[in-house]
Structure formats: C-alpha cells, structure tokens
Amino acid sequence: MWGGRFAQATDELVQRFNASIDVDREMALEDVDGSIAHATMLGETGIVSSEEADALVAGLRALRERVAADDVDWSVELEDVHMNLEKRLTEAVGPIGGKLHTARSRNDQVATDFRLALRARTLRIVELLRELRGVFVDLADRHQSVIFPGYTHLQVAQPVRFSHHMLAYYEMLTRDQGRFEDSLARLDVSPLGAGALAGTGFPIDRHRTSDLLGFREPAANSLDAVSDRDFAIEFLSASSIAMMHLSRLSEELILWSSQEFGFVELPDSHTTGSSIMPQKKNPDVAELIRGKTGRVFGALMGLLTVMKGLPLTYNKDMQEDKEGAFDAAHTLATCLRLCADMLPRMVLREARMRHAAGRAFSNATDLADHLARGGLPFRQAHEAVGRLVAIALDRGVDLQDLPLDVMREVAPALDERAYAVLDLDAVVDARTSYGGTSLPRVREQIERARTMLAAEGS
Ligand code: ARG
C-alpha cells in the first residue's frame, strides 16, 4: 500500500492494530463529500483537466450512492475509510482515480471529514434538545396546579409548583443547546488544503473547497488545521454537560417512581419487569441514561488525555479521536430521544406530591417571613419559629395545628392571620419574586419559554 519504500509486508496484528476502518467508516459520506469538493476544485484550478475532474466527480457520486446503500466492502488491509474509498473509486474509474489525492493528505482529509461529521451530529443534537425543551414546557403548562415538595439536601425544604421544577430542566437544556450552537462557530472552518501539515505548492483554492463543503472559511494555519482536535473536545464537553443534566433528571425519576416517594408512575413502555419478582417495575431506561453518562464523560477524558502530550502536528495517536466522539453523539442523541418519549407518558400522583410538599414544616420560613414583615428582625423571627417547630415536633403535629395561645407564648406578635400564612397554597403563591414559584411567575416562565421556542422555530 505504501508504494516502493517497503520491502516486507506489514505484520498481521499490526495491520489490525493500525486500522481504523471499523470506526471511521461512520464518516464515509463525509469523506466522499470532501473528495467531491476537492476534485471539483482540482478541475477548476486546472490542476487536473476538466475531463479528469468530471470523471472523478462522476465516480465519486456513484460511490456515494453505494455508500448510502451500504454496498461497499470495507477492508482492514486498506486501513481506513480514506484508503478504502480511494481504492473503490479507482476500481470504478480506472487509474485516473489516482489523481484524486493530488495536493491532499489524509491529515487534512481526516480533519475535514471529522469536522463535517461532528457538525451533522451537533445539528441533530440541537434539534433533539429543542424538542425535549418543548416537552418540559408542555409538562409545566399541563400541571400548573400541582404542588410539589422542593428539596435541598434531599430534605423537604419549601413547596413549589411541579411546573417550576420542570421549567428548571427547560433552563438547563436551553444552555446545553446554546453550548452546542456556540461550538459550531469554531467547528465551522475547513482544514482541507492544509496538506500533510505545511500546505502545498499546487495552486489550490482553499476558499472554494471551504464554500463547497458549507464551511464558513478555510482554517488560517495549516499546522493548526491538521493537528488540533479541540472542536471534538468541545463537542464532548457539551455532550458531557448535557448528559450530566439528563443523569440528574434520571436520578429524580428513579427516586420519584420508588415506593417511598411514589410521586410518578413511569410508562410501561419505558420500564421493565423482573425475571424473578412478579411485582417489579424497574426504571431501567432512567438508570441506563444515568449509567451511560459515564461513557460520555469517559470519552471526554479519553480525548483530552490523548491530546495533552502531542507535539505538533498530526500524530497517529489522534486516530483514537473518533470512537469516543461518535459513541458520545449516538449515546446523547438516543438518551434525548428516550426522555422526550418517556416524560409525556409518565403519570403524576398529585395527591402524594401535595402531601409530601406540606410535610416536614415546609411552611416554617413563611411564618418567620410573616413575623419579619411585622417588624421583628428576621434572625429573631427565625429563632421563634424554630422554637414553635420544636413544640410541634414534640406534639407530633404541624405548625398550623398549634393553638394560637401556644404560638403567642413564643411570638406575641402573632394573631389569627398566621394560619392563612401557613396554608400550603398560600405558601407557594407567596413566592412572587422574579423566577419564583407563584402561579403568575410560573406562567411568566412558560410564556417566556414558548416565545423562545417559537422564535427558534422560525
Ligand atoms: N486514519 C487516520 C486517522 O484517523 C487518518 C489519517 C492518517 N494520517 C497519517 N499520516 N497516517 O487519524
């Protein structure tokens, strides 16, 4: 394969060790597209004749059909997707196929293909994120009246609207989408024409191939173009953060669907049974999303580690860049799809949520706020309500069950109005600050989200 330089054949294990075809064939279409752009430019600049360019492009178009139809035999002896496709092209068009690689190296070729492949995956993930954001807004809209326990330290803290909780995920996913969109600006440059590393003496037109491939501009420095993989690290970083969010969501679904919480019932379509315990319904999908988060983080750590010690420019170590990135893209896209399908079908146990929300003195802050509004310094109000909580705990009742005279003994400023303050719905709707959990503020968030989604859709 390497022409005249070698007298002996490559060792068989080395051949398999060196090959990347099993992984990089995933970007076969991108490779053909890159070649079509390159061949077109070679013809336009007169580096090959226009007849030769036409023959190359026609051959590549036919090859593209075969790749799309999964009608190509991939061979380990031909090492990678680039050599495989060049060989298949040459078989089809004859020796002229050998002109395709003029003024090009696999180093700029692979960097180009990989950017094209990650651009397509980024756009797909952006679509899926947008869809899942819509699912959260719909859930929030549908369940505006559902009261839910808000937690800190996994201890009931203050009651909130279930909608509010759903909208928190909307915000996280909005930032995730933004990270992918921002990354496109840096990904969108064409390495093609950088050659092996230093450029080429042929009169190529890098702006033309960049345009043909839909890139914003050619990469400005040929050494950088073939040697960096920061765009893939950025992709993996954005993927890891999004998976971290999906993993937290999954953890909540797992908790909420347990007997102890009993807040939701996950749909049969997204749960499984046990081979031995007939009663079981397990949240496998949520658990696997949580579990698969590990492999995406692993891909990020893996590529950072591959790159950290490499001298410029291309090093074969970099062939390790694609497996983790493609796996992460596939994993994240699948997890987003699963969440968007599963969440609308989950059944809420509203009474259980409401009951849990009203427990554990989740209205204590409101009584302290009430006293503070009456002029008592908040620290003293906090102390007084703390004492009332201790009394209520002692009696095995809630704050609103304490008689007024008991309350007044601890906090003389209190009167009948305290009971209205302690009411669960009043507690939720008292949180009227911007971004808070009161009904008007939650509706405001829903409106804002709907406006954003509509603007993106257009
Ligand atoms: N399969 C190689 C990769 O993915 C393509 C580039 C090979 N370049 C080279 N100089 N051996 O990195």
Side-chain angles (χ1 to χ4, degrees):
M1 195 162 62
W2 310 115
R5 170 77 173 78
F6 290 77
Q8 283 166 12
T10 313
D11 178 87
E12 203 196 304
L13 180 56
V14 171
Q15 194 162 68
R16 270 184 285 141
F17 187 64
N18 202 36
S20 56
I21 185 62
D22 286 344
V23 171
D24 57 26
R25 51 183 281 195
E26 191 169 332
M27 49 186 205
L29 285 175
E30 284 84 357
D31 192 74
V32 178
D33 290 341
S35 291
I36 291 175
H38 184 64
T40 304
M41 180 278 293
L42 289 179
E44 289 170 358
T45 51
I47 297 171
V48 303
S49 73
S50 57
E51 295 75 43
E52 288 169 334
D54 290 348
L56 287 173
V57 169
L60 286 163
R61 292 230 166 91
L63 186 56
R64 197 181 196 287
E65 299 284 303
R66 284 175 56 200
V67 170
D70 201 12
D71 178 29
V72 178
D73 283 331
W74 304 106
S75 138
V76 172
E77 289 85 72
L78 294 169
E79 192 176 320
D80 59 24
V81 69
H82 322 295
M83 315 274 269
N84 268 267
L85 288 173
E86 189 180 326
K87 174 83 172 172
R88 300 301 166 226
L89 176 73
T90 305
E91 285 166 359
V93 303
I96 201 176
K99 294 212 169 190
L100 176 65
H101 213 52
T102 314
R104 187 176 73 170
S105 154
R106 278 188 298 158
N107 294 352
D108 56 342
Q109 192 177 355
V110 71
T112 304
D113 294 0
F114 197 23
R115 280 179 185 261
L116 287 173
L118 287 189
R119 183 172 69 184
R121 281 153 188 73
T122 298
L123 292 172
R124 172 83 187 120
I125 286 167
V126 163
E127 257 332 292
L128 287 163
L129 279 165
R130 191 187 355 237
E131 183 183 340
L132 184 54
R133 284 163 64 220
V135 166
F136 278 111
V137 178
D138 287 342
L139 277 171
D141 207 346
R142 190 142 39 95
H143 300 294
Q144 288 182 31
S145 60
V146 177
I147 306 299
F148 189 75
Y151 295 87
T152 63
H153 314 266
L154 198 55
Q155 307 281 321
V156 173
Q158 293 174 349
V160 297
R161 285 181 191 283
F162 183 72
S163 303
H164 199 199
H165 200 107
M166 294 297 98
L167 290 164
Y169 281 102
Y170 168 85
E171 294 296 330
M172 294 176 232
L173 296 177
T174 302
R175 290 191 298 277
D176 291 337
Q177 187 182 321
R179 268 180 282 274
F180 279 106
E181 286 167 344
D182 295 348
S183 74
L184 281 174
R186 284 171 293 279
L187 181 125
D188 207 11
V189 299
S190 171
L192 198 56
L197 73 163
T200 173
F202 286 101
I204 58 170
D205 184 349
R206 292 195 56 210
H207 288 89
R208 178 67 175 139
T209 46
S210 173
D211 285 348
L212 285 170
L213 292 170
F215 284 114
R216 193 184 62 242
E217 60 189 357
N221 180 302
S222 65
L223 305 178
D224 175 48
V226 296
S227 70
D228 210 347
R229 293 293 182 269
D230 56 0
F231 62 91
I233 292 172
E234 211 172 333
F235 177 84
L236 285 168
S237 168
S239 298
S240 294
I241 296 172
M243 284 300 295
M244 177 272 294
H245 287 146
L246 296 188
S247 187
R248 294 186 76 176
L249 169 70
S250 298
E251 170 66 13
E252 296 209 304
L253 294 175
I254 292 160
L255 287 173
W256 296 348
S257 62
S258 70
Q259 285 67 34
E260 287 72 16
F261 281 79
F263 291 166
V264 301
E265 179 161 353
L266 296 174
D268 288 0
S269 55
H270 289 70
T271 47
T272 59
S274 155
S275 57
I276 173 169
M277 297 168 282
Q279 84 285 7
K280 290 277 277 184
K281 181 170 178 181
N282 295 327
D284 294 38
V285 169
E287 291 172 282
L288 275 173
I289 293 173
R290 189 178 59 185
K292 283 178 188 288
T293 300
R295 62 197 291 150
V296 178
F297 292 6
L300 171 62
M301 286 307 128
L303 187 52
L304 281 168
T305 309
V306 165
M307 296 303 295
K308 73 175 274 290
L310 296 184
L312 303 189
T313 56
Y314 179 83
N315 299 266
K316 186 75 172 206
D317 316 43
M318 289 156 67
Q319 180 166 283
E320 288 293 306
D321 57 1
K322 284 170 279 309
E323 188 169 0
F326 289 157
D327 182 75
H330 175 71
T331 301
L332 175 57
T334 307
C335 292
L336 289 168
R337 177 76 269 140
L338 287 164
C339 287
D341 291 341
M342 172 168 63
L343 287 168
R345 295 186 222 172
M346 127 187 120
V347 175
L348 305 192
R349 302 271 175 249
E350 300 180 21
R352 292 272 307 194
M353 291 177 175
R354 190 179 170 87
H355 178 73
R359 293 195 53 241
F361 306 98
S362 64
N363 52 5
T365 314
D366 296 78
L367 193 57
D369 285 350
H370 178 65
L371 284 165
R373 272 193 203 96
L376 197 63
F378 183 77
R379 277 288 152 242
Q380 284 179 38
H382 184 283
E383 160 78 18
V385 176
R387 276 168 43 213
L388 287 173
V389 167
I391 293 168
L393 270 175
D394 211 40
R395 297 183 177 200
V397 299
D398 286 325
L399 279 176
Q400 61 272 29
D401 302 323
L402 291 175
L404 187 58
D405 57 315
V406 173
M407 291 210 201
R408 289 174 59 96
E409 232 167 83
V410 175
L414 289 178
D415 59 27
E416 282 293 338
R417 282 174 300 177
Y419 295 99
V421 165
L422 289 168
D423 172 72
L424 183 59
D425 295 286
V427 168
V428 172
D429 280 325
R431 304 260 155 23
T432 54
S433 55
Y434 179 76
T437 207
S438 70
L439 188 56
R441 290 307 196 179
V442 165
R443 286 201 170 135
E444 197 172 77
Q445 289 181 59
I446 294 172
E447 272 315 299
R448 177 177 166 278
R450 289 234 186 267
T451 308
M452 279 173 76
L453 285 170
E456 291 168 32
S458 60

